[in-house]
Structure formats: structure tokens, C-alpha cells
Amino acid sequence: MSGDSEISIIGLPESGKTTLLAAIWHMVREAGSVTALKFDGLSQGNYEHVSALAKRWRAGKKQQRTQTNGMKIVSMRLKTAQGHSVEVSFPDMPGEDFSGMWEKREVDEAMVGTLRATSIVLIVNGDTIKFPAWIVEQMAIVKGAGIDPPAADLVDWSPHLAPTQVQVVELLQFLMTGNLFVGPRRLAVLISAWDEVAGDGLDPEQILSTKLPLLDQYLRNGRDPWTWRVWGVSAQGGVYEDQDKGEQLEATAALRELDRPSDRIKVMDGRTESTDITLPLEWLIGR
Ligand SMILES: Nc1nc2c(ncn2[C@@H]2O[C@H](COP(=O)(O)OP(=O)(O)OP(=O)(O)O)[C@@H](O)[C@H]2O)c(=O)[nH]1
Ligand SMILES: [Mg+2]
């Protein structure tokens, strides 16, 4: 039995999209790795691109920013435990395409097909969430400290300064309107860089409700027909080096010393931890 499944990975700039792709590609092909979905063969797609990403990933090198000139589609055939073969396509898109949707309210024609996928992975970098800044609170702190309010330089408002959750909710609403609307869809929300978030002692749902309450309420409210779930994902296991700038880190060296590169990966489902990065994909495929 076989079927097709288009899975789109969406997320703001530097949310971890490319790193996730590299880790998935590495893990489904690593000999002996234990995954819910198994590699079932090559299909048409951009192997050179994804192989280069996975090579960087294994070396503990940070991915480069995805270029804005043309996205690359990566396709692979994966097999479920029941033996269904599913063709999965992921676009590797630059985050600017998504922040542009928020800032300019336009969708590039070339992205429309991909954004109509029935399964969506939304990645939010748990380490770089930009919170709302409440002027009232800031003034209260300043006053409480007995300091005169600063004659601050006023910064003009610009869409890219908006809190992470505002941009992300808008993005999801975009996918549910106009020619991007395709009816009910599945959504896997991945809080990336989980290694940086784990110290808070919260599970992924709690991170969602405390650090991204607007997104949490939008999804729970069910205004748009998403069937959704949230995971914490560390696709690197820790910080990777910016080797293009000659960076060398002990933390990365320790990750390279693990027996299998796939041992770096952590996937958090509630309070259950595993290294199987295909679990959210298995849920998305729903077979
Ligand atoms: N600590 C930690 N950092 C991570 C992890 N995954 C990604 N990052 C970091 O997050 C940053 C962005 O990762 P990318 O995968 O390039 O993000 P992207 O969404 O593809 O970014 P653009 O292509 O620029 O839109 C990089 O500095 C990564 O090293 C992780 O599991 N742990
Ligand atoms: Mg990228």
C-alpha cells in the first residue's frame, strides 16, 4: 500500500526548520536507529541539498541561513510499522518567506502549493521566543526603582518587532483563509532547541501555555479546524558550532563523542522522552 503525504514545515527565521530536516534525514538512514517511520527508499528530490545538510549536522556545524532565492523540496519515502509506504515532501524554505507573510501580508505564488499541504509542522524556537513588552509594567518597574523615566529614543513600530506568538498565530490564520484554505488539517507544534528549554522543568504543553499563551488559546479555542499536538524537540541535543566563524565548543565536542549521532536527538511528548524524531511525523501521517 502506498500514499502521498505532503508535510510542510513552517516557522519564523531561525526557528530550526533546516536543522530538523537534517536530523530527520540522518536518522531515518542511520543503520540500526530505532524509529517509528523507516526509510523506504529514495524518491525524486533534492538529495544533494539534504545530504549536505545532514553532513553538516553530523559534524556539529550550525546550518547556514536558508537562502531566499528559491526553496528546495526534499522528498523521501517512509514506511510505517504497518507497512504503509508514504511519500513525504518537505520544503526547506527561508524564514523570511514566513515573516514576509506577516510583515507584507503577501504570499509568494511559488509557495502556495506547498502551503496547501494537509499536514503542517510549525516550529517555534523555544530559546528565542520574543515576549510582549508591556509599557505599563516597564514604567512601574522604573518608578518602583525611584528612577526618572528615561527620555528614551522612540523606536518606530515595525511588524518584525511583534511578539513571536502574534506572528505565528497570524501565520496559522493565513493558512486557513483564501486560497490557502484546504479544510481541516493536522498541525504538529514543535518547540525546538528543547535542550535550552528543558531546564525550566515544564512539559511542552506547559511551555506553550506559559510562554506562548496567545497561540495556546488560539489552538484550544478551535476557531480554525486544526487537529493539533505539541512536542518539545532538540534536533541537535545542544549548541552546535558556528564553524564558518571558527567557533569550537566543548559542548559540541561532547555531542560528537556520542556513539551514534542520533543519540543527540531528544523528542519530548508530555513527560516521555525519546530520540525518535519521526514520532511527530507518524502522528501527522495518521496511519
Ligand atoms: N540549542 C539548540 N539550538 C538549535 C537546535 N536546533 C536548531 N538550533 C539553532 O537554531 C538556529 C536556527 O536553526 P536553523 O535550522 O538554521 O533554522 P531555520 O528555521 O532553518 O532558519 P532560516 O533558514 O534562517 O529561516 C541555529 O543557530 C541552530 O543552531 C537545537 O536542537 N538545540
Ligand atoms: Mg533554514
Side-chain angles (χ1 to χ4, degrees), residues 14 16-19 63-67 92-95:
E14 302 193 68
K17 302 177 293 294
T18 303
T19 307
Q63 299 295 332
Q64 288 165 317
R65 302 287 323 275
T66 304
Q67 300 295 309
D92 186 17
M93 290 196 256

Side-chain angles (χ1 to χ4, degrees), residues 169 172-174 176-177 181 218-219 221-227:
V169 167
L172 291 177
Q173 289 183 333
F174 240 122
M176 285 289 179
T177 49
F181 180 75
Y218 163 73
L219 291 171
N221 179 273
R223 200 197 77 138
D224 289 326
W226 296 107
T227 300

Side-chain angles (χ1 to χ4, degrees), residues 192-205:
S192 68
W194 189 257
D195 48 283
E196 296 285 350
V197 181
D200 295 349
L202 302 175
D203 66 30
E205 288 208 13

Side-chain angles (χ1 to χ4, degrees), residues 6-10 98 101 114-123 167-177 180-189 208 214-230 283-284:
E6 297 274 339
I7 301 181
S8 260
I9 304 186
I10 67 172
F98 298 108
M101 282 168 68
T114 321
L115 293 178
R116 285 168 56 89
T118 48
S119 299
I120 301 288
V121 174
L122 167 70
I123 308 196
Q167 299 193 40
V168 164
V169 167
E170 183 70 19
L171 202 56
L172 291 177
Q173 289 183 333
F174 240 122
L175 296 191
M176 285 289 179
T177 49
L180 296 183
F181 180 75
V182 293
R185 309 204 218 188
R186 279 186 176 241
L187 174 71
V189 178
L208 186 68
L214 177 71
L215 174 60
D216 185 57
Q217 287 163 38
Y218 163 73
L219 291 171
R220 284 187 195 285
N221 179 273
R223 200 197 77 138
D224 289 326
W226 296 107
T227 300
W228 62 280
R229 251 182 98 169
V230 56
W283 176 82
L284 275 177

